[in-house]
Amino acid sequence: MNPKYAPLFQPFTLNNGVTVKNRLAVAPMTHFGSHADGSISDQERAFIGNRAGDMGLFIAAATLVQDGGKAFPGQPEATGEHCLDSLKETAQLIQKQGAKAILQIHHGGYKAMAELNRSDKISASANEAEGAREASAAEVDELVASFARAADLALRAGFDGVEIHGANSYLIQQFYSAQSNRRSDKWGGSLENRMRFPLAVVDAIAAVRNKHQRNDFIIGYRFSPEEAGEDGLTMIETGALIDALVQKPLQYLHVSLWEFDKKIRRGGDTAQTRMQFIHDRINGKLPLIGVGNLFTADQILAAYETGWAEFIALGKTVMLNPHIATQILEGREAEIETQLDTTRADHYGFPDTLWKLAASGTQSWLPPVKGADWKPMDI
C-alpha cells in the first residue's frame, strides 16, 4: 500500500466498545435485487457477496419495515418472522468478507410505490399528488413499532447493527420537515413536535437493544441536511436535530450528500460546507460518516483529510469497483474505474434492473457512464 493511504485504514472504536477496523464504509446501495416478497435472490447474493472485502462497515440497502412503505422494486424486507432467513444470509454474506454488517431500515412514506404495496400509502400528512393520506395517531405508533421490530429482526439475524434511514425525503424526514408535516397533534407543528417521530424511532430501537442486553449492537442514524422548497429543511433544523441525536445512545451519524464538499444553501454560513457545519455541530460527541461522489483513492483520502468525517462511505465507486478497499491496500489504486463501461455487463455483477438503469446513463444517482453527459444531482 502507498503509505499516504494508511490513514484510511486506522481502526476506530465506537462509544459502545465495538472497534471498526478502518474508516471505509459501503454506503447503502439500492440494488433492485430482492424477490418481490423481499427475500434474497441469487442476483442479490452476487451483488452483496463480493463488495465488503477490506471494508470497515457495509450498510445494506434500504430495507422495508412495514407493508405500505416499499419505495422501489426489488427492495429487501424486514417486515416479519418470514424475513429472518434472508436477513441471516445477508448478514453472513457481509461478515464473511470481514466487514461489520449494518442493516438500513426504511419506510418510503408518500414516496412508496402503490403497485408494490398492499396497504395504503401514509405519511405525516396527506399528499394528494402522491396519493398518500395522513397517518392516524394509532398508525404513527405502529410505524414507530415497525422500525423497532425490524431492528429486533436484524439483531436476531446476526447483523452488527442497524442504520435508521431518516434521509432523502422518506418517511422519517417527512415527519421532521415542515414542508411535508402539517399535523396539528403532538407529532406536528413546532420543530420539537416534528422531531418527536425520529426521536421516538431511535428510542424504540434502543429499547430493543436493551431488551436483548446487546450493548455491542450498533445504532446509526442517516439524515439529509437540506431540502428544496420554502418550508424545506435548512441547516437550522439540521443543527437542532443533531443536538438532539447526540444525546441519544447512538454510535454514529451518517449524512446523505451528493457531493462531499457541497456548500450550505440556507440556515448557515453559505461559504461553509455542509460537512464542516455538521461535524462542528456534533463536536466530537459521535463519529460522522461522510459521503458524496468520491471515486478515486485520492478523492477518498482528500475527503478524509478534511477532518470533517471519521468515516468515508462509498457507493457509486463500490458499484464500479467491488474490491476498491483491497485495490488501495494492495497498491493497485491506478486500476480503480470511474465510469461504467456498458460493453462489460458481466463485469460488475449488477442485478438486471440495476444494470438497465445504470447503463442508460440517465440516472445521476448512479455511476457515470462512459460517453454519457453525466453530472451529480444538484441537492
Side-chain angles (χ1 to χ4, degrees):
M1 177 178 64
N2 186 324
K4 75 177 183 178
Y5 299 118
L8 298 175
F9 294 92
Q10 300 174 89
F12 187 96
T13 300
L14 303 172
N15 60 16
N16 63 346
V18 173
T19 297
V20 181
K21 68 181 181 183
N22 62 44
R23 308 306 181 92
L24 299 176
V26 177
M29 297 179 290
T30 302
H31 53 58
F32 305 98
S34 297
H35 290 303
D37 65 356
S39 60
I40 191 169
S41 72
D42 286 343
Q43 290 191 351
E44 186 179 359
R45 290 181 181 96
F47 184 75
I48 295 171
N50 71 345
R51 282 181 161 81
D54 291 312
M55 286 284 183
L57 296 169
F58 186 110
I59 305 167
T63 299
L64 181 67
V65 301
Q66 180 180 288
D67 182 57
K70 184 170 282 195
F72 43 87
Q75 181 174 7
E77 295 189 17
T79 54
E81 295 294 320
H82 63 285
C83 302
L84 202 51
D85 287 345
S86 286
L87 292 170
K88 287 178 179 178
E89 186 175 351
T90 301
Q92 290 165 5
L93 278 170
I94 295 166
Q95 291 163 340
K96 75 178 183 181
Q97 298 172 72
K100 298 291 185 188
I102 308 296
L103 186 71
Q104 189 186 69
I105 49 180
H106 163 271
H107 188 292
Y110 69 70
K111 294 180 75 173
M113 298 176 67
E115 63 270 26
L116 300 179
N117 295 278
R118 297 179 300 275
S119 302
D120 292 350
K121 291 172 65 169
I122 56 176
S123 181
S125 297
N127 186 317
E128 185 175 346
E130 298 289 348
R133 62 175 176 80
E134 180 173 298
S136 68
E139 286 172 327
V140 175
D141 290 338
E142 176 56 29
L143 286 167
V144 173
S146 71
F147 279 93
R149 280 195 300 272
D152 184 81
L153 287 166
L155 187 151
R156 290 191 286 123
F159 276 90
D160 297 291
V162 292
E163 178 174 283
I164 300 164
H165 195 338
N168 306 122
S169 298
Y170 290 120
L171 180 76
I172 294 177
Q173 185 174 326
Q174 290 164 26
F175 268 89
Y176 188 44
S177 172
Q179 186 159 265
S180 46
N181 185 342
R182 300 174 301 281
R183 301 177 72 95
S184 57
D185 62 3
K186 70 176 184 178
W187 301 105
S190 67
L191 182 147
E192 290 75 18
N193 279 3
R194 287 184 278 112
M195 196 187 296
R196 193 185 300 271
F197 184 82
L199 298 184
V201 170
V202 172
D203 289 343
I205 292 172
V208 168
R209 178 172 61 187
N210 292 341
K211 179 187 74 174
H212 287 278
Q213 298 183 328
R214 282 287 307 279
N215 188 55
D216 62 328
F217 190 71
I218 297 164
I219 306 175
Y221 188 101
R222 196 178 202 202
F223 61 95
S224 296
E226 293 192 73
E227 289 179 316
E230 184 177 345
D231 295 321
L233 295 175
T234 74
M235 301 308 290
I236 294 173
E237 288 82 17
T238 291
L241 180 62
I242 290 168
D243 293 345
L245 290 173
V246 298
Q247 298 177 50
K248 296 294 182 180
L250 296 169
Q251 277 60 65
Y252 70 80
L253 299 181
H254 183 183
V255 61
S256 179
L257 286 173
W258 294 104
E259 292 182 80
F260 185 87
D261 58 358
K262 194 74 173 179
K263 299 287 182 68
I264 290 171
R265 287 185 173 174
R266 298 184 300 172
D269 181 356
T270 55
Q272 187 180 40
T273 67
R274 293 162 171 171
M275 284 297 309
Q276 184 177 5
F277 173 98
I278 291 164
H279 196 261
D280 288 351
R281 191 67 171 246
I282 294 170
N283 194 27
K285 297 180 177 72
L286 288 174
L288 177 63
I289 301 178
V291 70
N293 285 319
L294 305 171
F295 289 98
T296 69
D298 284 342
Q299 288 172 344
I300 296 163
L301 179 64
Y304 178 73
E305 288 185 334
T306 62
W308 299 337
E310 283 69 33
F311 295 91
I312 302 296
L314 307 172
K316 299 180 188 72
T317 194
V318 171
M319 287 187 177
L320 296 173
N321 305 279
H323 309 290
I324 187 169
T326 304
Q327 288 172 304
I328 297 171
L329 272 173
E330 295 180 351
R332 296 188 291 118
E333 59 273 5
E335 299 175 8
I336 293 171
E337 299 181 35
T338 60
Q339 295 180 313
L340 185 79
D341 185 347
T342 58
T343 68
R344 304 169 71 200
D346 59 348
H347 175 68
Y348 302 100
F350 286 9
D352 291 342
T353 300
L354 178 61
W355 175 255
K356 290 174 184 175
L357 286 170
S360 73
T362 62
Q363 305 295 319
S364 56
W365 58 274
L366 286 170
V369 173
K370 283 185 178 180
D373 183 16
W374 183 93
K375 61 180 180 179
M377 294 180 73
D378 186 23
I379 292 178

